[in-house]
Amino acid sequence: MIRNIESGSQSYEELRAWGDCVSRTLINLDFSAASSRFSGSYHYMIAKDCVASRLFGTAHRTSRPQRKLREVENDFVLLIYLKTGKATVSHRRQAGLVPEGSFIAFDSSKPHELAMNEPFDHLVLRMPRARFISLHPAVSSMLDRPVEGRATEIQAAAGILDMIVSLGGAMPSTVSVMAETVVKLLGDCVVKEGEGEVGRAVRHDLLAGRIVKCLEDNFTDPDYSSTDLAEAMGISRRYVDSIFAGMNSTFGKTLLEKRLERCDLLLRDPQFRGRSVTDIAFESGFNDLSHFSKRFRERFGIAPRQARKSAQPALN
């Protein structure tokens, strides 16, 4: 359900009352204005652990000093879309003017200042920080720089966020999916537009994740090789080796670990008590039983049959 707070009397007292509502429902801030005149409107919607809102009004300044950080929990991110009106921002590594049509993200555990020097219209999404960061490996960089420009992903994210605020009676699960889509689109934009070390690091992390996922999907194939993985990813085998080196491992070590972990899990699972150790080993990608037994003992400190036997008391 959308809730509305209107302030139309153009007085500083109205700014204070308007700010109190924002502080209660979105983020606790200090509000100030150079002029004694203020008017604005605040629409907000709370769905599970997210708050979606629209704020528009006349010029004023908000700040989140250390004093405010100590008042409430701070484990969330505030994602703001400057629909109309540019703003001056100070937060972490950000300092300066952010143009209209940009997204900026604030880490609530850090101080920030936001100055609107002209009439503004902002769309805002509040989301738990852990959830925000988990949605895309690139979005953490947004906490240090805005996402600007006319990229398709930015326009789509803004449109979805606007729709969330306008929905009113939408199911919380619908709002949650739409909010996650906004964040993922912006993460894609960061990767697409990324330059320099930040862009390369983001692309490297994305590729590493895809490589690990591909290995997890194929490690039970006894003939699976780094060449197969490289061909599936469309990169060279040397590049595959460099990705695993960056994870302090190798293709061979990671492949062996995946196979051993699966064997250990199945040997201890009561549902597989009727399957032989040999069957489990071969179905996990091994094609040499003595090699499997040796590696299993090195990894877990006991023989495969002992691992199965050690799980028996827990089954009785």
Side-chain angles (χ1 to χ4, degrees), residues 109-183:
S109 67
K110 307 295 182 184
H112 78 254
E113 290 189 2
L114 181 65
M116 286 69 71
N117 299 316
E118 57 190 16
F120 69 94
D121 186 351
H122 292 172
L123 301 174
V124 184
L125 177 65
R126 169 180 160 151
M127 180 181 289
R129 189 178 190 280
R131 182 177 172 195
F132 179 85
I133 298 297
S134 71
L135 291 173
H136 198 291
V139 294
S140 59
S141 67
M142 289 181 59
L143 298 173
D144 291 317
R145 63 185 181 92
V147 178
E148 306 174 9
R150 305 296 297 176
T152 302
E153 292 85 355
I154 294 178
Q155 300 307 307
I160 294 172
L161 184 52
D162 202 350
M163 192 182 303
I164 293 174
V165 178
S166 304
L167 282 174
M171 293 289 290
S173 58
T174 300
V175 173
S176 179
V177 171
M178 294 175 73
E180 290 186 352
T181 301
V182 169
V183 177

Side-chain angles (χ1 to χ4, degrees), residues 278-305:
T278 301
D279 286 345
I280 288 175
F282 283 8
E283 291 174 9
S284 298
F286 290 97
N287 55 16
D288 184 323
L289 190 59
S290 62
H291 172 71
F292 159 67
S293 298
K294 178 181 178 181
R295 294 301 187 187
F296 191 95
R297 185 185 292 273
E298 289 175 350
R299 172 64 176 82
F300 299 106
I302 57 175
R305 285 182 173 78

